[in-house]
C-alpha cells in the first residue's frame, strides 16, 4: 500500500491505497492517454470481464479492439474516477465516461455521458477480474456502430 493525499484532507494527513485502486488508476490514466501498451500490461492474459452481468471481451487483445472502437467513436473520450472503495486487492470504483461523437458518424452518436462502476480484483500487479456496471445500451450501441465502419 502506498500513501496518497486525498482531496478534503489537510496536507498532513494521508491515506493508503491498496493494489486494486493503484492498478485501476494506472489503467485509467493509460486509457485517457490512449496508451494501449500500458493498458495491456495492466491486464492479466486471462482476465475475466463482465459488463452488466454478461461476459465481455476477456483478453488484452479484445480490450484493445473495444477501446479502439470507443476512441474512434469519441475522439475526446475520457473517464473520470469519482470515488473508490478500497479493499486491498479488490476495489469498487465509481466513474464517469465523457465524450462527443465523431463527425464521421454523421450525428448518429449522442454525446457520451455515462456513469457507472467497476469492481476489480488484482493479482501480481494486474487486473484479473473486472465487473463493469452502467446504464444499458449506450456503450453497446457505440461498439456496434463502430464495428460497422470500414476497416473494423
Amino acid at each position: 500500500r502506498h500513501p496518497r493525499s486525498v482531496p478534503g484532507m489537510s496536507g498532513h494527513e494521508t491515506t493508503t491505497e491498496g493494489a486494486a485502486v493503484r492498478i485501476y488508476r494506472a489503467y485509467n490514466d493509460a486509457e485517457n492517454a490512449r496508451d494501449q501498451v500500458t493498458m495491456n500490461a495492466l491486464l492479466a492474459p486471462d482476465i475475466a470481464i463482465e459488463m452488466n452481468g454478461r461476459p465481455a471481451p476477456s483478453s488484452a487483445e479484445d480490450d484493445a479492439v473495444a477501446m479502439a472502437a470507443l476512441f474512434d467513436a469519441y475522439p475526446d473520450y475520457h473517464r473520470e474516477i469519482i470515488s473508490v472503495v478500497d479493499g486491498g486487492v479488490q476495489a469498487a470504483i465509481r466513474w464517469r465516461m465523457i465524450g462527443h461523437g465523431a463527425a464521421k458518424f454523421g450525428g448518429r452518436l449522442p454525446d457520451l455521458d455515462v456513469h457507472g462502476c467497476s469492481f476489480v480484483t488484482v493479482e501480481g500487479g494486474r487486473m484479473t477480474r473486472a465487473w463493469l456496471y452502467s446504464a444499458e445500451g449506450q456503450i453497446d450501441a457505440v461498439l456496434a456502430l463502430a464495428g460497422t465502419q470500414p476497416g473494423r
Side-chain angles (χ1 to χ4, degrees), residues 33-91:
R34 313 290 194 274
D35 179 357
Q36 194 66 51
V37 171
T38 299
M39 291 165 63
N40 290 354
L42 294 169
L43 300 177
D46 59 347
I47 185 170
I49 301 174
E50 291 185 7
M51 292 183 69
N52 294 323
R54 292 184 305 272
S58 291
S59 71
E61 295 80 21
D62 289 343
D63 184 65
V65 170
M67 293 311 300
L70 187 62
F71 296 155
D72 188 47
Y74 294 96
D76 64 344
Y77 163 86
H78 69 279
R79 181 174 53 201
E80 303 169 348
I81 294 175
I82 297 171
S83 62
V84 300
V85 176
D86 189 343
V89 296
Q90 295 182 317

Side-chain angles (χ1 to χ4, degrees), residues 111-127:
D111 286 348
L112 184 67
D113 190 352
V114 176
H115 289 255
C117 61
S118 295
F119 299 90
V120 299
T121 302
V122 300
E123 185 178 315
R126 292 179 164 197
M127 279 190 267

Side-chain angles (χ1 to χ4, degrees), residues 94-113:
R94 186 171 163 235
W95 45 259
R96 179 182 182 202
M97 294 178 172
I98 302 169
H100 298 92
K104 74 180 197 175
F105 290 97
R108 292 180 289 159
L109 288 177
D111 286 348
L112 184 67
D113 190 352

